Amino acid sequence: MRIRIVGAGAMGRGIAQWAASAGHTVELCDVRTEAVTAAVDFVRSMLERAVQKGRMSAGDSAAALERLVPLDDPWAPGPEVELVIEAVREDLDTKAEVFGKLEEALPDSTVFATNTSSLSVTRIAASLRDPGRLAGLHFFNPVPLMKIVEVVPGAATRPGIPPALTELVESCGHRAVTVADTPGFLVNHAGRGLVTEALALLEESVADPAAIDRIARDVLGLRMGPFELMDLTGLDVTAAVIDSIWQGFRHEDRLRPSYLTPNRVTAGLHGRKTGQGWFAHGPEAASPVPEPPVTGDADRPVFVAGGEDAAGLRTALAAAGATVESGPQPTDGALVLVPVWGTTVAAAVASLGLPAPRTFGVDPLPPAGRRRVLAVTPAADPAAARDARAVLARAADGGEPWAVSVVRDTAGSVAQRLLASVVSVAASIAERSLAAPADIDLAVTAGLGYPAGPLAWGDRIGAARMLDLQRALHATTGDPRHRPTRWLTERAQLGMPLTEPGTSPAACVQR
C-alpha cells in the first residue's frame, strides 16, 4: 500500500517508521521542509538502533528506509496513494484545511484518516465534499512501541472503511480497537477513572500525592501512580483532557474535574517539562521524602472487628506473631483494627461501640505488593496509631516487613476508591456501547499499562463484591460520582462477569 502521512512531528514520524517497517511505501510530508528532513533522520536513527539491539536485520532496516519517501509538497497529486494519515496539530480548522486540499489533490478512492486524539472525527469529516471517506486512526506515542490503535468511525464514515483500517493496523503488528466518536474516544476516556479519583482524594486531604502513588503501585499494582503519571504527561495536557471529556459528556459526575488543577496549570506546575509539578524534577530537585520509619510497639495486643474480611486479617497477624485477642470485645488498651469495604472507620466505631481513640481501619483489598493501608479518624490517639502501624508491619516467618501507609479515614480508603472509579468508568463505556468489553480491556492494558483491563479487574474482585463497594461508597458519601452503573448492577444480579457483552435485543429478533 502507498500511504501519505501529512505532518512530520513526533506522531507523524512514528507512524511513518511503523508503516515503512511493515512493508508499505510511505510518503512523508509537512508544510515545513526542514521538519521532513529531521523526521527522516530520526527514523533512520531509530532503525539503526533497532539493528544494534537485534530487533531488526540490517537488510530490513535498509529496505524500510528506502520505502520512506520525503515529499516536498503535501498537496502533490498522488494517483497511487491509497491512504492518507493526517498528523498535524490538534486544531479543527487546521485539520479541515488539510483535508480540503488533499481532497482536491488525491483520487476519490483514497481513504482519509485523522490521528486526532481529542477532536470529533465527524466534525473534521463534515468539511469534506465526501465525509464518508474519513475515519479516525488514533495512534499513541511512541508509535512503534505503543501497539494499540483506536479506529474511530465518524457518523458518516462508509461501513467498509473501519474494517479495512483494522486489517491494515493488525497486519502491521499492532492491535486495533473500534470505538465510538465520543469525547476522549476509549483510552483517554477510560483513563479518567484513575486521575479524577486521585485528585478527589487529594481534595479531601485523605493522603498526599506521594502516599496515593505508593498505594496505587503497591496495592493496585500500577506501574506509575496517578500523580507520577500526571507529571509525566503534563498537568496542562491532563487538565485539558479531563475538562474536555467532562464537558463532552454533559458534566457526567463520574468524570468531574478537580478544583485543584486550574491554579496549578496557571502557575506552570505542569510536571517534568517545567521542573515542578506534584513533585520536583530535574538535576537540582531534592530527593523524594522517604516514608516515616515504623516506631510503634509491635507487641501491643490487637482486636480485629468485623466479619469475613476480619477473619483473614486475624489469621495473617497471628501468623506474623502478633498478639491477637479472640474475645467478643477488645480489652482495655488493645488496639482495634476494622477492615472496611466502602464504608468508614467512624461508622464502625458508632455502630459497633468501639473505642474511638484506638480504632483504625485496614483496607482488605488483596495487595499487589507488600503494603497495607491504615486509616485514622480525627479521634485517633497518635501513639495508638503508631503502634497499629507497627503491628501491621509485622511479617510472618521472618520475611520482609510490610510497608504501611497511614491515611485519613474515608469511605473505602484509597485503593478501593481508585479501583472502583477505574471499573466504574469502564463499565459506563461498555454500558453506552462505545466499545466492546474485550476492546475496552485490551485498549486500557496496552494504552495505559494497567495490570489488568478494568472489567477483568472488576471480575477478579467479583461483580457482586464490586457492587457492594460502589453501593457503600454512594450511600456513605452521597456523591453521585460513586453511583453503581447499570452494567455492574445487572451483571452482579444475574451472576454474569463484567467482561460478558450479554444478549442484545437485536439478537432476539434476528433469525
Side-chain angles (χ1 to χ4, degrees):
M1 177 181 285
R2 193 174 190 91
I3 301 172
R4 179 175 296 184
I5 297 172
V6 181
M11 294 303 298
R13 67 193 186 191
I15 298 168
Q17 178 186 336
W18 167 79
S21 298
H24 299 286
T25 300
V26 178
E27 298 178 354
L28 181 60
C29 52
D30 196 288
V31 292
R32 297 178 301 114
T33 304
E34 63 274 17
V36 178
T37 303
V40 172
D41 289 343
F42 177 84
V43 172
R44 180 184 293 108
S45 69
M46 291 296 100
L47 295 174
E48 290 172 352
R49 181 180 300 180
V51 173
Q52 293 168 359
K53 293 188 174 183
R55 295 197 300 262
M56 177 182 280
S57 70
D60 287 344
S61 172
L65 195 60
E66 190 173 332
R67 288 189 290 268
L68 183 58
V69 181
L71 198 64
D72 292 335
D73 181 9
W75 329 123
E80 298 179 350
V81 175
E82 298 173 69
L83 172 67
V84 169
I85 302 176
E86 164 272 312
V88 303
R89 67 189 181 93
E90 282 289 276
D91 176 75
L92 182 63
D93 291 339
T94 300
K95 290 180 185 292
E97 181 183 358
V98 165
F99 282 117
K101 291 180 178 179
L102 290 169
E103 196 171 33
E104 298 296 330
L106 299 176
D108 292 344
S109 59
T110 304
V111 173
F112 290 169
T114 173
N115 183 54
T116 182
S117 60
S118 61
L119 300 174
S120 165
V121 172
T122 300
R123 292 186 66 188
I124 296 170
S127 63
L128 297 173
R129 291 194 304 270
D130 177 14
R133 72 194 298 185
L134 185 142
L137 202 56
H138 179 212
F139 293 82
F140 294 84
N141 193 30
V143 174
L145 300 181
M146 297 293 286
K147 296 183 178 294
I148 188 74
V149 182
E150 294 177 327
V151 177
V152 189
T157 303
R158 285 194 286 273
I161 289 179
L165 292 176
T166 295
E167 183 178 353
L168 168 67
V169 167
E170 299 200 336
S171 71
C172 294
H174 278 31
R175 301 292 300 274
V177 292
T178 301
V179 305
D181 183 19
T182 52
F185 304 141
L186 175 49
V187 173
N188 282 332
H189 184 174
R192 296 318 93 201
L194 178 68
V195 294
T196 55
E197 195 61 35
L199 288 165
L201 288 163
L202 185 61
E203 281 184 6
E204 299 166 28
S205 300
V206 173
D208 63 26
I212 294 171
D213 279 357
R214 292 186 192 108
I215 293 168
R217 291 192 304 265
D218 297 344
V219 178
L220 296 181
L222 295 170
R223 294 178 188 173
M224 297 183 72
F227 293 96
E228 290 177 294
L229 181 61
M230 283 186 271
D231 270 8
L232 176 64
T233 305
L235 187 62
D236 54 335
V237 174
T238 299
V241 171
I242 291 173
D243 287 347
S244 67
I245 293 175
W246 178 64
Q247 291 164 5
F249 281 98
R250 298 298 187 262
H251 299 176
E252 162 63 54
D253 288 301
R254 227 180 296 279
L255 304 170
R256 189 170 65 237
S258 169
Y259 71 81
L260 294 173
T261 56
N263 279 351
R264 298 185 68 88
V265 170
T266 301
L269 303 175
H270 299 170
R272 293 189 183 185
K273 61 186 175 184
T274 60
Q276 181 68 50
W278 301 107
F279 309 105
H281 301 275
E284 298 181 1
S287 300
V289 178
E291 288 188 84
V294 175
T295 58
D297 179 7
D299 294 321
R300 185 167 174 175
V302 62
F303 177 87
V304 182
E308 182 180 346
D309 290 325
L313 182 58
R314 285 190 200 100
T315 300
L317 292 177
T323 304
V324 182
E325 295 187 347
S326 57
Q329 290 293 323
T331 61
D332 292 343
L335 301 170
V336 181
L337 300 181
V338 185
V340 288
W341 189 253
T343 58
T344 62
V345 183
V349 168
S351 63
L352 300 177
L354 300 172
R358 46 194 173 93
T359 298
F360 306 93
V362 180
D363 189 345
L365 194 66
R370 293 190 64 80
R371 181 174 295 276
R372 289 174 172 146
V373 181
L374 183 75
V376 300
T377 72
D381 171 40
R386 290 191 289 271
D387 292 344
R389 185 167 180 247
V391 171
L392 284 178
R394 297 183 68 131
D397 302 322
E400 181 184 356
W402 288 77
V404 181
S405 294
V406 180
V407 302
R408 181 179 181 178
D409 182 30
T410 185
S413 198
V414 172
Q416 291 173 36
R417 281 182 52 175
L418 293 176
L419 178 58
S421 183
V422 167
V423 174
S424 184
V425 170
S428 178
I429 293 171
E431 180 176 294
R432 292 182 167 104
S433 300
L434 305 185
D439 283 349
I440 294 170
D441 279 357
L442 169 62
V444 170
T445 52
L448 298 176
Y450 288 7
L455 299 177
W457 206 345
D459 282 337
R460 286 184 184 178
I461 305 300
R465 188 158 167 81
M466 286 300 304
L467 180 58
D468 287 343
L469 172 59
Q470 294 195 349
R471 281 177 169 167
L473 288 172
H474 191 206
T476 303
T477 65
D479 190 336
R481 74 187 296 122
H482 298 303
R483 72 189 188 282
T485 60
R486 176 168 53 87
W487 187 271
L488 172 61
T489 302
E490 286 180 338
R491 277 152 182 76
Q493 292 169 338
L494 296 170
M496 293 173 60
L498 300 180
T499 49
E500 173 59 50
T503 303
S504 69
C508 299
V509 296
Q510 293 176 348
R511 299 178 63 181

